[in-house]
Amino acid sequence: MLRYLRVLCLRDWLLDHTVAWRQYARVRRSLPLTVTFTPLQIGLPCASFATRGDRVWSSTIRKRTFSTENESSPSTTDVAPGPAVGDRAQRSTTPSLYPGGGDKLSGSVSNSAGVVKATEETLRQMNLFTAINSALSCALESNPKVLVFGEDVAFGGVFRCTSQLQKRFGRQRVFNTPLTEQGIVGFAAGLAAMGYRPVAEIQFADYIYPAFDQIVNEIAKYRYRSGGQFNCGGVVIRAPYGAVGHGGHYHSQSPEAYFLHTAGIKVVIPRDPFTAKGLLLQSIAEDDPVIFFEPKALYRAAQAEVPLSKYVLPLGRAEIVRPGTDITLVAYGAQVRVLLEAAQVVAREDKIEAEVIDIQTILPWDEATVCESVARTGRCIVSHEAPLTGGVGAEVAARIQEECFLDLESPVMRVCGYDMPFPLVHEKNYLPSAEKVVQCIRDCLNY
Amino acid sequence: MLHKLFMYEALREAIDEEMARDKRVFVLGEDVGHYGGSYKVTKQLHTKYGDLRVLDTPIAENSFTGMAIGAAMTGLKPVVEGMNLSFLLLAFNQISNNAGMLHYTSGGNWSIPLVIRGPGGIGKQLSAEHSQRIEAYFQAVPGLKIVACSTPYNAKGLLKAAIRDNNPVLFLEHVLLYNLKQEIPKQEYVLPLDKAQVVREGSDVTIITYSRMLHHVMQAVKQLVAQGMNPEVIDLISLKPIDLETLVTSVSKTHKAIIVEECMQTGGIAAEVMAQIYSHAFDELDAPIRRLSSKDVPTPYNGYLEQACLVQPTQIVEAVKTLMST
């Protein structure tokens, strides 16, 4: 598969350089939010394989706007080829990640206990992948022990997260590895044990399984079984996870649940560029090994204002993304926006005020915030893309029902992927969509 | 006609009978041939069936599991022995991405009649890497069946059923149960893979458990009965899919449930079982379901710490009493 991708990458690269003068755009039909792409955003277009079926070549930038705020139908307008993507005015036309609208950044900043004093000058509009890139470059700059490596990382990675890093920090600190996940993670474990802070990239979370033994048996247990003499603190394993529109079962899996049962590691999943940068920087600074899953569907779809400088957000803390009184909706990563969408629908149509919580860290997860919310609302739905059985939802539901049994008006319900391999053509049916969540909210309220 | 067998002998009998019955069945794994398996489950089978049907492999879990999957795709019925189930984490990719999903991703063109069996669980001072309970890691893999045996009787019947099943089955044995002795029928019998077993009928509380913890629960039940309580005990047997019907019927009768498992709590089997019971029998419950699990730590080597890590019968007695008083 990877070899196939590389052939595609090479072909794309050649194609693009022969038509470099052209405006290049893509339309991502599978995502409900606006996505506008230009060559600069994409860097090398080899990352574009994920939306291969939908790519559009045109001499103008095709801008597709689909606002979740007003539920209008998707409309496509052509705009004249303008200045490159650095232009703020252009970017400001893309809708906020938060369907609730408003300046959510300030909300995020205040929620993280004033970690950042963001001003207009120090902020930049960033995509999720540029935020990751920014975090990595901050980490490489501030700590000489930080190393970044993985398959194809040197030329920027298939999703462009490590773009330009080798150029800036050299081949000694940012480098490619052979195609061996077990080797990458084992190498990271050894480096961490010697005091480095390795950030290892697994190209897709679906490829993390060959490294399962290294993560679960070596990295997670090293501190414990050496009686505290050695540890793998400082390892961060980054991997893009989740549905992307048409990835099929080797490029769309959500394997976080497999690691939920692993004492000794932390599992983090951000929902947008702002949290991605803060949480990744904290993960690198953390003295425990961290698996950092990035929602690949949001690499380009999500935009937010992100501080240029270094800032951290605490691990193990959930964030109430939308306050409400009637029901608590719990998710993480890309699923948060699905819940926000559902929350808006029920607020408008059923006058139900749903509280949406992003747990951000899957292991250890913030039980206190979630249970406090459920005790108030009396109802709860947990949602994730991964299959239902044995998923994160099971643990969250079990814990909530242990803690809040007498507060519950109805059982904790789960809206998750089906118990099946991730389907290619039936992806839309498989995913826990906003419609499914809305239906579940109604079922829950009418229980 | 009954005969008394150790659990490892019952398992060997099952494999032996299936290999005699069906030429497609073969065994592979580390030291399964001449050495007879590290727990003697395949002892002497190689003399009877030859080195090709009882195949010694190099120490390369990912490779020989992949090999078995390939064999299964071409119509054979491999029985893979993981010398210790924790080593199968090295084969996670093969088990999850290939064994679990190939039937689906090939549009039903291939089926994977594969059994992966071996000893797991906390033994006697085997330390972190040899004491793992891998069922929770594989619980979320779609397409996989997970079965845990608890007695020589069900070990034999279930293993035969697993070998005959057309799906990949992860068959969990427990290191400390191999030397459990029981009288089992000499005649051939096969047990259903997807049914939980009501081990003891009762009316006050449902205790749900599996594998070795069943024996801890039964010890606790003795004390509870002496104190005038009447608990119902269910051996899950099938960890995936969970036999919800049996569980819900029981909980609807007792209105209280407690789950005892040997795996760690976070993301364990009990979490899923609880979530399922809550969503199907919420109104039947008089109290929150309790779960007793091992501590969320790698298993310690130190014998005392190891015991402290596990759920002990006294804890089960205490938990049931507390639950009954709520």
Side-chain angles (χ1 to χ4, degrees), chain A residues 265-342:
Chain A
I265 54 170
K266 296 188 175 181
V267 183
V268 179
I269 304 183
R271 69 167 183 281
D272 68 355
F274 179 80
T275 53
K277 182 170 175 182
L279 290 171
L280 181 54
L281 280 166
Q282 179 55 38
S283 298
I284 296 169
E286 197 77 8
D287 281 330
D288 290 307
V290 177
I291 303 184
F292 193 86
F293 288 120
E294 295 157 12
K296 71 171 95 65
L298 303 186
Y299 268 141
R300 289 174 181 75
Q303 290 203 359
E305 296 212 310
V306 179
L308 283 172
S309 57
K310 193 176 168 178
Y311 66 95
V312 292
L313 297 173
L315 303 191
R317 208 175 294 171
E319 190 179 327
I320 297 172
V321 184
R322 179 191 200 276
T325 48
D326 300 327
I327 183 168
T328 305
L329 310 178
V330 181
Y332 48 84
Q335 194 61 14
V336 173
R337 68 168 56 200
V338 176
L339 295 192
L340 285 169
E341 213 181 310

Side-chain angles (χ1 to χ4, degrees), chain A residues 170-184:
Chain A
R171 298 163 65 101
Q172 306 294 321
R173 298 186 64 200
V174 180
F175 49 90
N176 279 341
T177 63
L179 218 165
T180 161
E181 286 77 11
Q182 190 176 11
I184 296 170

Side-chain angles (χ1 to χ4, degrees), chain A residues 182 209 213 216-217 221 224 249-250 253 258 261-263 389-390 394-395 399 401-402 405 411 414 420 423 447, chain B residues 90 92-93 97-98 101 104-105 129 132 136-137 140 142 264-267 272 278 282-283 288 291 296 298 300:
Chain A
Q182 190 176 11
Y209 307 131
D213 178 70
V216 170
N217 270 342
K221 295 187 174 66
Y224 189 90
H249 97 297
Y250 272 127
Q253 293 179 42
Y258 301 127
H261 196 63
T262 309
T389 302
E395 176 60 33
R399 175 54 74 193
Q401 290 170 123
E402 278 173 339
F405 185 72
R414 293 181 282 169
M420 58 183 285
Y447 184 83
Chain B
L90 282 157
F92 199 92
N93 188 44
N97 271 343
N98 289 341
M101 302 185 191
Y104 178 88
T105 48
E129 290 182 1
Q132 301 199 66
Y137 295 121
M264 291 180 286
Q265 183 168 83
T266 307
E272 177 62 31
Y278 275 119
F282 187 69
D283 292 336
R291 55 176 163 167
D296 273 337

Side-chain angles (χ1 to χ4, degrees), chain A residues 132-148:
Chain A
I132 297 284
N133 186 283
S134 165
L136 290 174
S137 100
C138 284
L140 283 161
E141 250 166 33
S142 60
N143 187 349
K145 291 284 187 190
V146 173
L147 303 175
V148 174

Side-chain angles (χ1 to χ4, degrees), chain A residues 6 12 19 41 65 104 117 119 126 133 191 198 202 209 225 228 252 262 268 285 288 299 323 345 427:
Chain A
R6 284 190 179 138
D12 274 6
V19 292
Q41 252 175 318
T65 32
K104 290 291 173 170
K117 293 276 176 285
T119 61
M126 287 191 199
N133 186 283
L191 282 170
I202 300 291
Y209 307 131
R225 76 188 166 92
S252 305
T262 309
V268 179
D288 290 307
Y299 268 141
V345 174
E427 180 172 319

Side-chain angles (χ1 to χ4, degrees), chain A residues 118-133:
Chain A
T119 61
E120 191 66 9
E121 292 75 48
T122 56
L123 291 173
R124 283 286 178 283
Q125 279 281 348
M126 287 191 199
N127 292 30
L128 198 130
F129 82 97
T130 36
I132 297 284
N133 186 283

Side-chain angles (χ1 to χ4, degrees), chain A residues 351-366:
Chain A
K351 304 274 173 276
I352 297 169
E353 283 307 320
E355 178 149 309
V356 178
I357 298 183
D358 174 10
I359 55 174
Q360 299 187 115
T361 306
I362 311 301
L363 182 70
W365 64 284
D366 185 355

